[in-house]
Amino acid sequence: MSTRELKPLLTRATAPASALLLAQPPKLGIVHIGLGNFHRAHLAVHTAEAVAAKGGDWGIYAYSLRSNEIARALREQDFCYTVVDIHPDSEKSLIPGIHCGASGGPEAHQEVFQHLIDERTRIISLTITESGYCYSTETGGLDNSRREIIEDLRSLTQPQSVIGLLAKALLTRAQTHSAPVTILSCDNLTANGTTTKKVLCEFSQQLDGASAEILIAYLDSKTSFPNSMVDRIVPSTTDRHKALVSERLSIRDEVPVPAEKFSMWVLEDDFIAGRPAWEEAGVLFSNEVEKFETMKLRLLNGSHSLLAYVGALAGKVTVPDARFTPYIESAVRQFMKSEMAPTFAMPAAVNIDRYIEELFSRWSNTTLSDTTARIGSDGSIKLPPRITQTSLWHGERKHQTPMTALILASWVACMAPPRGFEPGEIARAMKDPAREYLTSLSAGGATPAQIIERLFSEGKIFTRELNSLQELKTETTNLLEKIITDGVEATTKALISS
């Protein structure tokens, strides 16, 4: 049975585990940039549930930056796809039915641009990864050294960056109907809404005089940038997931989305042009978004980095493989308790001990089996917000941070292995936009001490503030040397026992 027959099938379905949320997509209200699995299992699902409960024209037109492959499959399937809970006690399968259009790749630039400037578009949402914001980890603002930013500041005819695309679209809106719009980041950035606005404003200020003045005025008066915290583990789709959908629903879906059962979304209620009734879909509106964000960044994301890099060097293919390795679990617990928890205040509604145990439960999902290679990718972008502020906090108090040093040493061993050290195929499978630079650190037979010194002092990945933390640099160097000579297991075990 083809996926084109999915709607009538699920309309007739009696199994409570299967549900078509919307028989027909609503009219356009949201343009989403970043048509990946996370968007389709998170914002799309919550929006479909909200519209199903309270209605509203909040149909999503989604654009994929790099490729038209997913968009093409969605068009062929009448914008239907399944989101499948991958959990031992769940067989839930949802078809959101919220998308009213999709496109992908540079060839679709004009199409997505027309939707961005459409007066009906009241929210522009983003899942473009941390790298897509073209921000500097050192200043927190626009990275003017990025090639695509340089090109876009020269000409916005065919934007190379998302920041350039947004600037062009918002400038056009300001020059035509001037309708308000909310820019909603759904990425793991510190203060993601605030950061997005800062980067856009700094870009706008560098345009020619008239355009800069018009765009800055529009940003100040006709836009809002709510901060948000998003959380759901969504791995890449494999043939196994396609087969699972076929078995459960007797349909063929070329782009199903596997996801854990857990989903959390915390938002500031700052939507200048309205929003779906997301509170009907389990979304939490809070004035403590920053605390939720910090909690996730330090306890979940920071621990994910430890699981990924130590796990990869230990030959652990999946997150559960790493989590169920006793010495890795002990390292993660020590990291959270001693190095992360003291540095921030939990949201009032969350108990830290229960939250930590829930994390270990989520990481135990062997049915989902998210990979350490996926989690460990893009470390040059992910690690700075995860370890910089905590390292500086401990540095001011003369505290040692051995597990943070272990994360850094393991990451370097994976991504910039010194000559003669083989990190293994899992580490080799990790992707990173700074891989060329990282590889250069270990070129020419550089020693661990030389690699770490360049990494901290050159300021290309971490802020130069970290370069003042000599004890962290020394500990990272020592652990990198020990990983090379003794292996990651002996290194981690010795660190725990000490």
Side-chain angles (χ1 to χ4, degrees):
M1 180 176 292
S2 72
T3 312
R4 285 184 178 275
E5 299 173 87
L6 185 112
K7 290 180 181 178
L9 168 74
L10 289 178
T11 300
R12 296 193 306 268
T14 57
S18 303
L20 173 64
L21 293 182
L22 299 170
Q24 294 295 330
K27 294 177 182 178
L28 176 69
I30 300 172
V31 173
H32 183 84
I33 301 176
L35 183 54
N37 276 12
F38 183 79
H39 157 67
R40 292 188 292 133
H42 196 265
L43 183 145
V45 170
H46 286 296
T47 304
E49 291 174 339
V51 173
K54 290 292 185 178
D57 289 335
W58 295 107
I60 300 173
Y61 173 91
Y63 173 64
S64 175
L65 291 163
R66 299 181 184 87
S67 168
N68 189 37
E69 183 178 348
I70 294 176
R72 183 188 300 113
L74 287 178
R75 290 193 298 270
E76 291 174 353
Q77 297 179 179
D78 295 336
F79 305 111
C80 284
Y81 66 94
T82 47
V83 179
V84 186
D85 282 0
I86 307 294
H87 193 275
D89 67 358
S90 175
E91 290 190 353
K92 182 179 178 182
S93 300
L94 288 178
I95 291 80
I98 191 68
H99 290 90
C100 58
S103 64
E107 64 273 16
H109 169 268
Q110 191 56 34
E111 182 178 334
V112 68
F113 180 73
Q114 291 303 317
H115 285 84
L116 287 168
I117 66 174
D118 193 318
E119 192 170 357
R120 297 174 299 169
T121 297
R122 290 171 283 165
I123 296 174
I124 298 171
S125 53
L126 309 167
T127 49
I128 55 176
T129 76
E130 293 94 328
S131 178
Y133 293 83
C134 297
Y135 78 104
S136 165
T137 56
E138 187 163 8
T139 68
L142 184 68
D143 185 351
N144 283 295
S145 69
R146 290 279 289 263
R147 176 197 56 78
E148 58 267 53
I149 294 297
I150 294 171
E151 291 295 324
D152 287 349
L153 286 171
R154 186 177 295 127
S155 172
L156 278 177
T157 302
Q158 187 77 17
Q160 304 296 304
S161 69
V162 173
I163 299 305
L165 177 61
L166 288 174
K168 179 182 178 181
L170 296 177
L171 177 60
T172 303
R173 291 178 71 99
Q175 293 170 327
T176 53
H177 50 74
S178 196
V181 67
T182 296
I183 314 299
L184 175 61
S185 170
C186 300
D187 283 296
N188 290 320
L189 291 176
T190 301
N192 53 14
T194 303
T195 299
T196 305
K197 183 174 184 178
K198 183 176 182 180
V199 169
L200 262 172
C201 286
E202 290 185 6
F203 182 94
S204 304
Q205 290 163 359
Q206 297 179 67
L207 297 173
D208 68 78
S211 295
E213 185 177 339
I214 293 169
L215 182 51
I216 290 169
Y218 181 80
L219 288 171
D220 285 342
S221 63
K222 298 288 188 174
T223 65
S224 62
F225 293 79
N227 289 307
S228 71
M229 187 280 277
V230 297
D231 189 5
R232 193 176 195 185
I233 296 172
V234 182
S236 302
T237 301
T238 68
D239 288 341
R240 176 172 72 93
H241 303 124
K242 295 179 184 180
L244 183 62
V245 170
S246 178
E247 179 182 339
R248 284 188 185 181
L249 302 180
S250 299
I251 58 170
R252 187 181 72 254
D253 185 352
E254 293 302 319
V255 284
V257 181
E260 67 171 338
K261 185 168 61 172
F262 177 92
S263 184
M264 178 182 282
W265 196 6
V266 185
L267 278 168
E268 286 181 338
D269 202 351
D270 182 19
F271 290 81
I272 195 169
R275 61 168 176 80
W278 280 317
E279 64 275 11
E280 299 291 331
V283 177
L284 176 63
F285 288 91
S286 172
N287 58 6
E288 288 192 309
V289 171
E290 183 179 359
K291 289 185 177 181
F292 279 96
E293 174 192 89
T294 303
M295 172 188 76
K296 175 177 180 272
L297 189 69
R298 298 187 183 176
L299 296 180
L300 188 155
N301 297 133
S303 299
H304 250 169
S305 294
L306 198 159
L307 286 165
Y309 301 123
V310 174
L313 294 175
K316 309 301 179 182
V317 175
T318 70
V319 171
D321 290 341
R323 173 260 181 274
F324 283 120
T325 302
Y327 71 88
I328 297 179
E329 176 179 343
S330 295
V332 171
R333 289 188 181 277
Q334 184 173 321
F335 171 71
M336 288 197 281
K337 179 179 179 180
S338 301
E339 299 182 27
M340 293 290 106
T343 67
F344 70 99
M346 292 286 288
V350 183
N351 175 276
I352 188 169
D353 293 327
R354 286 198 294 269
Y355 181 76
I356 288 173
E357 291 313 310
E358 184 174 39
L359 289 180
F360 276 98
S361 176
R362 293 168 65 190
W363 294 331
S364 302
N365 189 340
T366 56
T367 308
L368 186 68
S369 290
D370 203 5
T371 66
T372 49
R374 189 190 78 85
I375 296 296
S377 291
D378 299 329
S380 64
I381 301 295
K382 293 175 178 177
L383 281 175
R386 295 179 185 185
I387 62 96
T388 299
Q389 294 306 316
T390 56
S391 297
L392 293 172
W393 188 92
H394 285 291
E396 290 175 0
R397 293 158 178 79
K398 309 300 181 185
H399 296 168
Q400 292 184 325
T401 53
M403 294 305 163
T404 299
L406 177 65
I407 291 173
L408 291 167
S410 300
W411 173 61
V412 171
C414 286
M415 306 305 297
R419 179 182 292 176
F421 179 75
E422 174 50 55
E425 61 181 28
I426 301 171
R428 296 290 185 191
M430 292 177 180
K431 301 175 183 178
D432 199 289
R435 182 177 278 278
E436 184 176 348
Y437 169 69
L438 292 168
T439 301
S440 75
L441 295 177
S442 58
T447 66
Q450 290 169 331
I451 293 170
I452 299 304
E453 181 59 35
R454 280 190 61 191
L455 178 66
F456 279 86
S457 65
E458 292 180 354
K460 293 185 177 181
I461 292 176
F462 299 107
T463 66
R464 287 189 172 88
E465 289 178 286
L466 283 186
N467 194 42
S468 65
L469 302 182
Q470 188 57 51
E471 189 163 346
L472 176 63
K473 291 165 58 177
T474 299
E475 182 74 356
T476 302
T477 299
N478 292 340
L479 290 173
L480 179 56
E481 290 174 342
K482 191 167 179 62
I483 287 170
I484 293 166
T485 57
D486 299 344
V488 74
E489 179 175 353
T491 300
T492 305
K493 287 180 174 178
L495 204 58
I496 294 166
S497 64
S498 66

